[in-house]
Amino acid sequence: MDDKTLRFSSLDHMKDVQVYFIQVWISIKPTISLQRRVSRNNHCKRYLPYKMIAVQPQPKKTPVAEYLQTSQDTPTSLTRYLLEVAKQNKDMGDMVALINGIQFACKKIASLVGKAGVTDLMGIYQQGIVNVHGEEQKKLDVLSNEVLKNALKYSGKMAVIASEEEDVPIMVEESYSGNYVVVFDPLDGSSNLDAGLPTGTIFGVFQQQFSCLIHDYEESIDNMELACLQNTLQPGRRLIAAGYCIYSSSTMLVLSLGNGLHCFTLDTEVGEFVLTRANIQIPQRGNIYSFNESNFYQWDKGVQDYIERLKKGNNQTNCRYSARYVGSMVADVHRTILYGGIFGYPADKKNVSGKLRLVYECAPMAYLVEQAGGKATTGIENILDLTPKDIHERKPLILGSPADIEEFLQVYGMSRVDREDMHMWDNLSSL
Ligand code: AFP
């Protein structure tokens, strides 16, 4: 090999090395910029430990159905979305009629809430009169309940309805009856109403398990009919649809029929809900916690430890979290689904079983959060696995980004083990 050949081949080699480095750079660049992005999003100067930011494999993009695309020019209305669902699933026709009833009720409630200040709808319904929970009802609590009850009843698809504002479930008379069971809180967060803060409607839909045929002329109910009321006490795992409507700077109906989570925003100019977010996915981890911290000294040690870690940055991310709390579950859960993080109303010394109601608050929200890839727990059990014993039963609820819930369960679980150990030692030493 002469000198010339040698020079040429080493030059070729240099080119190969250059190409190699360019290829390596291209392959690691996305990871580096992702690291920077995650770090900035967390408002945290330090880089997260590598383990925490392992690049998630990107799911293969499947073509999105045309009616699930959000477009300004040809927006998909909720009505069109429901028609498409019915076209593709022949057995969903009744469900579509039911959700149509709910969307009408939400529009009506949004209008009532929006005008409340100028139509004298703020304030207490009847001074001194309390509901089944011992709380004074707002005028709008009562009105929203009537609006939703009627919309459901006249959909012709209902068997039983259970509401936060009714002492006992309501059976729908034969002439309007169908196969569905709907549980709902017509106006959650109504104590925020007079200040103009966000409120919302929460609902969940089950298939009836026991047949209910209530004759219109019957005044009293027999045992069989009582059994039919059991339809409202199904575990959240059996929900076949759920949603919430938030009344805020805009009105949004966030819905799942078991096929992912989709958000429809009310276009007030045309009076229709239009698709604004399809297939919502909760971030794997967030940097916001949403708890009523005034209960801190009433909480279990496990909950206190967890919140302390978030505040000190002494947690798996090494970053301090921000606090956000509206006190309106729909608003707090909506933000948690979109921005990530953790929302909770754990048990405390006053609310020993938690404050939120399993049937029409915890279970539908847990279902929706799972549809978005998140998790919901009591701290011990998955919310969707709980079978209610009573329509107004309360449960502790912690929900949010999967990595945040996993960390909560670890910290909370450790403290439970410590307490059980202490309890065992106390028992042994008293022998
Ligand atoms: P209201 O409907 O009485 O306003 O209660 C709202 C709620 O049920 C739920 O939406 C909130 O997350 C929770 O109570 C707030 O409770 P605290 O006021 O105890 O924080």
Side-chain angles (χ1 to χ4, degrees):
M1 205 190 293
D2 63 7
D3 256 18
K4 210 171 144 205
T5 331
L6 187 71
R7 269 204 314 277
F8 268 106
S9 75
S10 62
L11 257 181
D12 278 354
H13 178 67
M14 283 304 291
K15 254 198 241 152
D16 284 352
V17 171
Q18 266 178 358
V19 169
Y20 173 74
F21 275 116
I22 290 170
Q23 278 172 348
V24 169
W25 172 246
I26 291 172
S27 67
I28 63 171
K29 192 169 179 278
T31 316
I32 292 173
S33 58
L34 180 69
Q35 286 185 356
R36 292 203 183 117
R37 229 180 12 249
V38 170
S39 170
R40 264 203 301 273
N41 282 348
N42 277 331
H43 306 295
C44 180
K45 297 280 177 292
R46 274 166 293 165
Y47 281 100
L48 297 178
Y50 184 74
K51 208 173 77 191
M52 296 307 306
I53 50 167
V55 183
Q56 295 290 322
Q58 289 298 310
K60 270 206 192 129
K61 287 223 157 83
T62 43
V64 178
E66 196 202 325
Y67 67 91
L68 270 181
Q69 288 173 16
T70 51
S71 143
Q72 297 245 314
D73 306 331
T74 47
T76 301
S77 66
L78 177 55
T79 311
R80 179 180 159 211
Y81 167 77
L82 293 172
L83 288 173
E84 296 281 355
V85 169
K87 224 187 320 173
Q88 287 172 25
N89 309 275
K90 295 288 171 246
D91 51 347
M92 291 287 270
D94 282 359
M95 170 69 83
V96 164
L98 179 69
I99 301 290
N100 257 328
I102 294 178
Q103 80 154 313
F104 171 75
C106 289
K107 286 181 196 171
K108 180 76 193 158
I109 297 171
S111 149
L112 290 170
V113 168
K115 292 186 299 201
V118 287
T119 49
D120 192 27
L121 281 179
M122 300 262 189
I124 302 296
Y125 176 56
Q126 272 178 323
Q127 208 68 41
I129 306 284
V130 292
N131 66 8
V132 61
H133 314 287
E135 297 159 353
E136 279 185 317
Q137 285 176 301
K138 300 265 179 180
K139 288 179 195 166
L140 274 173
D141 279 327
V142 178
L143 264 177
S144 310
N145 190 44
E146 284 309 310
V147 168
L148 201 45
K149 234 167 48 178
N150 284 334
L152 287 169
K153 179 172 155 184
Y154 298 124
S155 74
K157 307 297 172 197
M158 298 303 312
V160 192
I161 298 172
S163 160
E164 191 205 14
E165 301 301 335
E166 305 280 343
D167 299 1
V168 289
I170 306 158
M171 292 170 286
V172 176
E173 308 96 72
E174 191 175 4
S175 37
Y176 301 112
S177 73
N179 281 327
Y180 288 114
V181 177
V182 173
V183 292
F184 62 85
D185 182 350
L187 198 57
D188 185 66
S190 57
S191 61
N192 284 318
L193 266 175
D194 296 359
L197 297 178
T199 48
T201 298
I202 307 171
F203 62 91
V205 185
F206 296 99
Q207 198 88 52
Q208 77 167 342
Q209 300 287 309
F210 312 98
S211 149
C212 302
L213 250 196
I214 308 299
H215 301 297
D216 300 354
Y217 48 83
E218 275 178 13
E219 300 245 307
S220 60
I221 54 174
D222 61 24
N223 284 344
M224 198 194 83
E225 289 161 345
L226 269 178
C228 122
L229 296 179
Q230 290 280 330
N231 279 310
T232 54
L233 302 180
Q234 301 188 48
R237 198 60 74 197
R238 293 219 195 114
L239 281 163
I240 50 173
Y244 60 79
C245 191
I246 177 165
Y247 312 110
S248 185
S249 52
S250 56
T251 299
M252 285 172 273
L253 183 52
V254 179
L255 173 73
S256 178
L257 305 178
N259 58 347
L261 189 64
H262 312 296
C263 173
F264 299 84
T265 304
L266 185 60
D267 180 339
T268 47
E269 276 174 21
V270 287
E272 279 280 356
F273 281 105
V274 294
L275 184 67
T276 42
R277 288 174 198 266
N279 289 315
I280 301 172
Q281 283 294 305
I282 192 168
Q284 277 290 110
R285 183 180 275 278
N287 60 2
I288 298 175
Y289 70 95
S290 186
F291 286 64
N292 183 343
E293 239 183 312
S294 72
N295 295 329
F296 186 90
Y297 294 106
Q298 321 296 318
W299 289 335
D300 279 357
K301 180 155 182 323
V303 182
Q304 291 177 339
D305 285 352
Y306 175 74
I307 295 294
E308 291 271 62
R309 286 172 187 230
L310 298 188
K311 293 200 310 187
K312 290 182 180 154
N314 173 21
N315 55 67
Q316 289 176 357
T317 68
N318 288 331
C319 296
R320 292 197 300 112
Y321 275 44
S322 264
R324 297 281 186 280
Y325 189 73
V326 180
S328 222
M329 186 194 190
V330 174
D332 285 318
V333 171
H334 185 63
R335 184 200 52 249
T336 305
I337 291 176
L338 295 186
Y339 298 175
I342 185 162
F343 163 83
Y345 208 111
D348 56 54
K349 283 183 191 144
K350 183 171 153 224
N351 305 293
V352 284
S353 307
K355 176 180 177 189
L356 303 175
R357 285 48 167 234
L358 173 60
V359 173
Y360 41 79
E361 290 181 316
C362 305
M365 285 306 203
Y367 174 87
L368 296 171
V369 166
E370 283 202 5
Q371 285 290 324
K375 294 188 173 190
T377 174
T378 60
I380 300 171
E381 289 161 289
N382 184 313
I383 290 285
L384 294 183
D385 292 334
L386 303 173
T387 304
K389 294 184 196 65
D390 177 89
I391 189 72
H392 299 297
E393 183 178 351
R394 297 169 196 263
K395 281 286 171 196
L397 172 69
I398 318 288
L399 59 77
S401 295
D404 285 297
I405 298 300
E406 282 306 326
E407 186 172 356
F408 173 82
L409 289 172
Q410 257 179 38
V411 177
Y412 189 68
M414 264 163 13
S415 127
R416 282 186 59 229
V417 171
D418 286 353
R419 261 183 299 149
E420 275 159 23
D421 282 356
M422 264 168 55
H423 190 61
M424 196 178 78
W425 278 114
D426 286 350
N427 285 345
L428 283 175
S429 53
S430 65
L431 286 177

